[in-house]
Amino acid sequence: MTEAGVRETGPGEGDGLNCLMVQTSRGYRVLLAGLLGEIDLYPGQERVMTAIWENGPQSQNALARIVGIDVSTMTKSLQRLERSGFVRRSPCPTNRRVSIVDTTPEGDALRPRIDRVLSEVHARMTRGLTPEQTDQLRSLLGVVRGNICREAAPDAGPAGPGPLTGC
């Protein structure tokens, strides 16, 4: 307890910031996985699809950079998406060693479904919050992300990662 009678919570306490972040991250992942599973996607694959839709066909390496994951993780994600018929890989016309990834018509048909999933996740996350509180939460999480990502990847720059990138 502090002098003002406020209980301090330490790093390992059940209602401490560390615990809340872990529980929130886990809950978000479980919610997202459940909703994406209904459209035959795994978490992270919606980010790959969005990256292609927003940036056009890309090499695997470029997609990995855009999404903020390592190339081996991107390869595994693309293999799953390709097996599902949502993306196709073709050799780059100027460098046959590089694969260019694009969406298929089946993959493009997922766009409104992914948008609905992400809207539902947003609605559930912000249930009970006013628009002002939602804006404040977004701002605070942006600061926290910047603090964490700056330490995880010191060369990420002062602005921190972009909207689709990870740490």
Side-chain angles (χ1 to χ4, degrees):
M1 290 268 212
T2 64
E3 290 179 26
V6 176
R7 183 173 172 259
E8 293 181 331
T9 57
E13 305 246 354
D15 58 351
L17 188 56
N18 289 332
C19 187
L20 288 171
M21 288 296 291
V22 167
Q23 291 170 341
T24 301
S25 296
R26 186 178 301 135
Y28 172 81
R29 181 117 174 130
V30 167
L31 173 61
L32 183 64
L35 293 173
L36 286 173
E38 293 174 10
I39 59 173
D40 297 321
L41 290 178
Y42 293 93
Q45 290 179 326
E46 81 288 358
R47 293 174 60 213
V48 174
M49 298 298 290
T50 300
I52 298 169
W53 291 324
E54 291 182 355
N55 299 284
Q58 299 287 318
S59 71
Q60 290 181 206
N61 288 351
L63 278 174
R65 273 192 309 278
I66 292 167
V67 175
I69 60 176
D70 63 68
V71 176
S72 63
T73 302
M74 179 57 71
T75 299
K76 185 174 182 178
S77 184
L78 290 174
Q79 287 170 344
R80 285 180 173 167
L81 287 167
E82 195 170 34
R83 274 195 306 269
S84 297
F86 300 138
V87 301
R88 66 177 155 259
R89 291 184 273 190
S90 55
C92 174
T94 58
N95 184 348
R96 308 294 280 172
R97 294 173 293 164
V98 175
S99 290
I100 301 297
V101 182
D102 197 5
T103 57
T104 63
E106 293 84 2
D108 289 336
L110 283 176
R111 194 170 197 167
R113 297 174 76 192
I114 288 174
D115 288 345
R116 279 193 295 276
V117 164
L118 296 177
S119 291
E120 177 63 21
V121 169
H122 181 270
R124 290 189 193 184
M125 284 190 311
T126 58
R127 187 178 314 148
L129 298 178
T130 66
E132 294 79 17
Q133 289 171 320
T134 299
D135 289 344
Q136 184 178 25
L137 177 61
R138 183 180 295 110
S139 176
L140 292 171
L141 287 173
V143 171
V144 171
R145 179 186 65 182
N147 291 342
I148 293 170
C149 292
R150 201 172 2 267
E151 293 189 16
D155 60 340
L164 287 177
T165 60
C167 292

